[in-house]
Amino acid sequence: MRLIPRLTGVALLAMTMLPLHATTLLVHAHIHTMDPDRPEATALAWGDDGKLLAVGTDAELKQRYADARQVDANGATVVPGLIDAHGHMLGLGMLSSQVDLAGSPSKDDIINRLKAGAEKLPKGAWLIGHGWDQNRWTGKQFPTAADLDRAFPDRPVYLERIDGHASWVNKVAMKRATKSLDGDWQPDGGRIMRVGKKASGVLIDGAQALVRDAIPPLTPEQTRDAYKKAFAEAVANGLTGVHDPGVSLNDFKVLQQMASAGEIPLRLYEMADGNHAALEWLCQQGGEWQDPSGRLRMRTVKLYMDGALGSRGAALLDDYNDDHGNRGIFVTQPDEYKAAVEKAYRCKVQVATHAIGDRGNRMVLDTYQSVLGKTADSDHRWRVEHAQIVALDDIPRFAQLRLIASMQPTHATSDMPWVEQRLGYQRLQGAYAWQRFIHAGVPLAFGSDFPVEHVNPMLGIYAAVTRQDLAGQPLGGWFPDQRVNRVQALAGFTRGAAYASFMENEVGVLKAGYRADFVVLDADIMTVAPRRIADIKPISTWVDGKVVYQKQ
């Protein structure tokens, strides 16, 4: 793409310094607007306020804005700015300071990665990693502290599972726990895995904090640096917005400072981290807060109902197929959960609840119905995050309660090799059931849950359209009747996500009056072969009509 005659680095800088009331045209583009009234166009016009003035053809807009600056897209595809409806920004930014364990095929491989990471640390410092998944290993059994102790007898080790719902620690780390992990007691909302009465080294959900709280917290400077890294990664992957679930008040204050300093290049829709200080602060603001720049806002609280399938913490109506007697965990006790929902309701705060298992989802639906009562048909837009395994007769309840299903397509393709072993075939009828939700009239918002999955939204769109892995397996797709078409997939990452954040009149569609948030792509998402979708890359990412990422 080029500024006529060419979009150079100097020209890009010039575009950030346009004179007052300047108009810019993007021409010679193949634009998928996501506007049903005009689904395709070749040109966009926007003003210095970052809002679109018109969408149309090159001839129409060149005639109407004869004196405008022109940016030539050279025939490239343009889509509305992509929005990840569930991604953890701080977690993404912290990955660079942790040992990457994602995709590791064995415990031996993990030990080797950890040894390489430990060489960069001072003596005695915590060795922290993220991304292990026992489902990739021979035997698929949980690891133990002993596996780590042989390699790291003197250094505390804390390794978070890929889903963030379990941690693997060594003996040194367990000794620093806030309470002895041995015995026959269990923490609220969690589980300490034991052999007899001795802690084995795996902590699930609420048990993780017993060791995690001993790790020195990030300083505000480290938090700011992590956010900057996450922002750069996000816009490089074509994201112009992220719904960020579970931010503490201290971290949100860092974001407020960054927004004031103009350091946030995309739109962040932050969610308070449960019934804690951030929710209390949000209530004091009247239930919502927005920075004048429009780049940072909060009006939502993120709550937890259950755990995750990979660590067998998702709350199920019946036993796990591969762990009889276990029906998962309520991370938050139902009475405490209801109290938090009631508080949010009184404060006029949107509620978004993590629910993965069918029992977890039912408890959320029951609680929402009880609290909302006769106001269930109001424009509250309460959300269920993940909604992965849902009893078939509960899916229509989402529509009846006017809820949003915030779902992550790559979770389906990541889990499909082992989830039938966990649940059995019958329960999979309501698993990752995108078309069932659509047919029931439930709005969908798509995301990735990064860093659990990769931040790249093209992987999510590919997964939604094919329900296949990157090798094209299984042929025809996994439960192919739940695949969505390309427009539905793109809608989940654009106007669906915008609706879930009360921003459907600002972003998610390329239309006059909306923000000039868009992505220029190196291939047409609507026409390339299905497997090629996953390989599409952004050429540039634009927010408020300004370039925030340019491919070098």
Side-chain angles (χ1 to χ4, degrees):
M1 189 176 63
R2 58 190 177 91
L3 183 71
I4 295 179
R6 180 174 175 79
L7 186 61
T8 64
V10 173
L12 283 174
L13 177 62
M15 291 197 63
T16 69
M17 303 170 62
L18 296 177
L20 195 61
H21 305 305
T23 300
T24 304
L25 293 183
L26 178 75
V27 296
H28 193 199
H30 185 187
I31 304 169
H32 298 290
T33 68
M34 298 307 293
D35 178 5
D37 294 331
R38 184 164 195 163
E40 294 194 352
T42 63
L44 303 173
W46 64 90
D48 66 298
D49 63 354
K51 290 186 177 180
L52 290 169
L53 299 170
V55 178
T57 66
D58 290 11
E60 291 170 343
L61 270 56
K62 284 181 179 181
Q63 181 177 12
R64 193 183 311 177
Y65 304 101
D67 296 329
R69 294 173 181 266
Q70 293 185 22
V71 179
D72 190 338
N74 291 321
T77 296
V78 174
V79 297
L82 299 170
I83 305 165
D84 190 308
H86 189 111
H88 303 275
M89 294 301 292
L90 190 57
L92 178 65
M94 291 170 60
L95 286 183
S96 63
S97 63
Q98 301 175 356
V99 181
D100 181 9
L101 307 177
S104 183
S106 67
K107 286 184 285 187
D108 288 342
D109 179 70
I110 283 179
I111 296 299
N112 290 333
R113 295 190 194 190
L114 292 172
K115 285 180 178 178
E119 292 177 356
K120 305 171 186 176
L121 298 175
K123 183 178 180 180
W126 282 82
L127 178 58
I128 299 174
H130 172 86
W132 62 274
D133 182 359
Q134 82 283 1
N135 292 310
R136 291 179 170 273
W137 308 340
T138 301
K140 302 184 178 183
Q141 299 298 311
F142 272 139
T144 67
D147 298 317
L148 298 172
D149 292 339
R150 288 186 287 272
F152 307 102
D154 304 313
R155 179 191 297 280
V157 181
Y158 183 92
L159 310 176
E160 194 173 65
R161 193 181 181 277
I162 185 65
D163 57 13
H165 286 267
S167 296
W168 173 20
V169 297
N170 69 345
K171 191 173 183 180
V172 178
M174 287 194 288
K175 287 181 178 179
R176 301 192 186 185
T178 55
K179 182 178 179 180
S180 173
L181 303 180
D182 297 333
D184 54 11
W185 66 281
Q186 290 291 354
D188 290 340
R191 182 181 299 136
I192 301 168
M193 302 299 290
R194 296 190 178 100
V195 177
K197 293 188 176 183
K198 298 289 290 182
S200 69
V202 171
L203 310 171
I204 297 175
D205 288 309
Q208 294 171 274
L210 296 167
V211 172
R212 186 177 59 225
D213 287 351
I215 301 173
L218 296 180
T219 66
E221 293 75 19
Q222 289 171 325
T223 300
R224 193 182 195 111
D225 183 60
Y227 275 127
K228 286 183 177 180
K229 292 175 181 176
F231 299 160
E233 184 78 4
V235 297
N237 279 278
L239 293 177
T240 61
V242 172
H243 301 180
D244 188 3
V247 63
S248 71
L249 183 57
N250 286 340
D251 292 340
F252 188 69
K253 287 179 178 178
V254 172
L255 288 172
Q256 287 179 307
Q257 294 168 0
M258 297 181 77
S260 296
E263 296 176 350
I264 301 181
L266 71 169
R267 303 189 194 283
L268 299 182
Y269 188 73
E270 297 295 317
M271 304 182 193
D273 62 338
N275 193 4
H276 303 298
L279 176 58
E280 187 63 36
W281 175 86
L282 188 56
C283 287
Q284 293 169 5
Q285 311 308 308
E288 62 179 293
W289 181 91
Q290 179 177 329
D291 180 79
S293 70
R295 301 291 176 91
L296 179 66
R297 62 187 77 189
M298 181 190 283
R299 64 179 298 171
T300 310
V301 61
K302 162 73 180 304
L303 303 174
Y304 280 92
M305 191 69 257
D306 62 354
L309 283 172
S311 47
R312 299 185 183 87
L316 302 180
L317 293 169
D318 295 300
D319 292 359
Y320 278 86
N321 267 35
D322 58 356
D323 191 9
H324 295 294
N326 178 16
R327 295 191 177 186
I329 295 170
F330 280 148
V331 173
T332 309
Q333 293 306 303
D335 57 342
E336 295 177 5
Y337 172 68
K338 185 175 183 181
V341 174
E342 289 174 334
K343 179 176 181 178
Y345 178 79
R346 291 192 301 271
C347 294
K348 300 180 181 179
V349 169
Q350 182 190 37
V351 181
T353 304
H354 164 114
I356 289 184
D358 50 11
R359 183 164 61 111
N361 275 280
R362 181 166 293 176
M363 181 60 70
V364 171
L365 294 172
D366 290 347
T367 305
Y368 281 3
Q369 184 171 351
S370 175
V371 174
L372 287 169
K374 295 181 179 179
T375 66
D377 62 353
S378 66
D379 191 26
H380 54 79
R381 305 194 199 183
W382 286 10
R383 303 165 49 147
V384 180
E385 305 299 308
H386 309 308
Q388 276 183 219
I389 314 299
V390 182
L392 292 179
D393 54 356
D394 279 336
I395 291 177
R397 296 179 65 194
F398 280 72
Q400 293 161 10
L401 293 169
R402 299 193 67 176
L403 305 180
I404 295 164
S406 172
M407 306 179 78
Q408 299 73 44
T410 47
H411 281 345
T413 50
S414 291
D415 295 355
M416 64 186 182
W418 51 264
V419 70
E420 186 171 348
Q421 181 182 355
R422 285 278 193 281
L423 300 176
Y425 180 81
Q426 189 57 41
R427 278 185 285 199
L428 294 182
Q429 306 310 303
Y432 321 89
W434 309 320
Q435 285 293 356
R436 296 192 198 281
F437 279 104
I438 291 171
H439 291 158
V442 181
L444 296 186
F446 280 161
S448 65
D449 201 11
F450 65 74
V452 174
E453 305 282 356
H454 197 282
V455 65
N456 181 2
M458 290 300 156
L459 297 177
I461 293 173
Y462 167 75
V465 169
T466 67
R467 291 176 75 100
Q468 294 176 317
D469 62 22
L470 293 177
Q473 296 297 320
L475 294 177
W478 184 66
F479 288 90
D481 61 316
Q482 295 307 303
R483 293 177 301 183
V484 299
N485 63 42
R486 298 186 195 211
V487 172
Q488 290 171 327
L490 184 57
F493 282 97
T494 53
R495 63 188 185 213
Y499 177 82
S501 58
F502 296 88
M503 296 173 68
E504 74 277 13
N505 294 319
E506 300 179 55
V507 295
V509 175
L510 295 175
K511 183 177 182 179
Y514 283 60
R515 290 287 178 180
D517 293 4
F518 58 91
V519 188
V520 183
L521 302 173
D522 66 3
D524 189 346
I525 194 170
M526 296 298 178
T527 60
V528 296
R531 175 58 184 82
R532 176 77 172 84
I533 295 172
D535 298 327
I536 294 175
K537 298 289 189 289
I539 297 171
S540 58
T541 305
W542 301 66
V543 177
D544 286 326
K546 303 290 193 301
V547 179
V548 295
Y549 166 76
Q550 176 74 34
K551 183 178 179 180
Q552 300 301 315

